[in-house]
Amino acid sequence: MLILSLDTSTAACSVALHKDGTLLGCYELFTERTSAAMLTTLIDNVVAQAGFSLSQLDGVAVAKGPGSYTGLRIGVSTAKGLCFALDKPLLAINTLAGMGEQLRAYYSSDYLLCPMIDARRMEVYCALFSTSGQEVAPTSAHIIDEQSFQDWLTKSPVVFFGDGAAKCQALLGQNSNAFFPEELVVPSARTIGKLATEAFAAGSFEDINTFEPFYLKDFMTTQPKKAVL
């Protein structure tokens, strides 16, 4: 089972190649803007340097969101294009689930994991997972205040991480059950591919014709300022 995975949910652009769940190669770039050309180059490199060709892939996986509107469109459109061209199945993995997978092994079973992606102002995209990988609270757009997550923090220690966690730390950092890792955790194709291997084995494929990114919220644009005369 050879799976190519893409994650362009945020400014971190990454591609990975897994064979039977084992990571063969991964490229990650941390830039302000992700482009389709950049992503295509990373794909070609990771597949070729692992000694394979695109035609040998068994499936293509993509982080479906939530995240950056533009980044998600680039990743999903690239993944769908590959699936159409190669006649391969498409797998889509929640970006937050992929982030949670990065920390599962580091915490005991009494902890909850809360990956966070920065939205705007005091808002984050987040979800809660157990360290066994089970979704405890679904993905949502959450405005952070002093009362956020109090129901969960009274029951269990919660690990807040991702680029949205800094907003939470300023308000909840004094709670003895709130934990904030020092190292920034960013979405990565490494764990998207790991979860995609499980999805492939379960036959959890997407309809290439109708699949759309999981934006969670409608795309918002700012109105251009009028010129001062």
Side-chain angles (χ1 to χ4, degrees):
M1 188 190 306
L2 189 66
I3 296 178
L4 175 72
S5 301
L6 319 177
D7 193 321
T8 56
S9 304
T10 62
C13 169
S14 63
V15 301
L17 189 68
H18 287 78
K19 183 174 177 59
D20 298 329
T22 298
L23 179 65
L24 300 183
C26 180
Y27 278 88
E28 296 179 317
L29 288 179
F30 300 90
T31 59
E32 292 187 2
R33 291 185 178 275
T34 298
S35 70
M38 179 190 305
L39 184 58
T40 301
T41 298
L42 296 182
I43 291 169
D44 290 340
N45 287 345
V46 76
V47 173
Q49 292 186 15
F52 293 93
S53 65
L54 289 173
S55 63
Q56 292 176 280
L57 295 175
D58 292 302
V60 179
V62 65
K64 67 179 181 179
S68 157
Y69 182 91
T70 301
L72 292 175
R73 288 208 65 83
I74 289 173
V76 169
S77 61
T78 301
K80 291 175 69 171
L82 285 169
C83 290
F84 273 121
L86 301 170
D87 191 24
K88 305 295 181 181
L90 174 68
L91 303 116
I93 305 298
N94 186 299
T95 303
L96 296 172
M99 292 174 67
E101 189 68 22
Q102 295 185 43
L103 296 190
R104 275 181 54 193
Y106 298 101
Y107 294 91
S108 57
S109 60
D110 55 323
Y111 281 78
L112 294 176
L113 305 177
C114 186
M116 291 181 159
I117 294 177
D118 189 12
R120 54 176 63 88
R121 299 185 178 90
M122 288 303 292
E123 191 170 26
V124 297
Y125 302 137
C126 61
L128 280 170
F129 298 91
S130 68
T131 54
S132 65
Q134 179 183 2
E135 184 182 77
V136 176
T139 300
S140 63
H142 191 90
I143 296 176
I144 302 299
D145 59 29
E146 291 86 351
Q147 300 305 312
S148 297
F149 307 101
Q150 289 303 318
D151 288 346
W152 296 103
L153 287 167
T154 58
K155 303 173 186 175
S156 307
V158 181
V159 183
F160 300 96
F161 58 98
D163 64 3
K167 297 176 180 181
C168 201
Q169 186 170 13
L171 295 173
L172 304 180
Q174 299 305 313
N175 191 304
S176 60
N177 264 350
F179 294 85
F180 298 85
E182 293 184 6
E183 184 176 353
L184 177 63
V185 177
V186 298
S188 174
R190 290 179 290 112
T191 46
I192 294 300
K194 181 178 179 181
L195 294 177
T197 299
E198 298 171 5
F200 189 102
S204 300
F205 305 121
E206 303 294 336
D207 185 326
I208 302 174
N209 294 296
T210 61
F211 179 75
E212 292 290 335
F214 179 33
Y215 296 120
L216 192 57
K217 290 177 58 178
D218 292 334
F219 180 55
M220 300 286 290
T221 58
T222 56
Q223 294 295 326
K225 296 181 180 179
K226 294 182 178 180
V228 179
L229 300 179

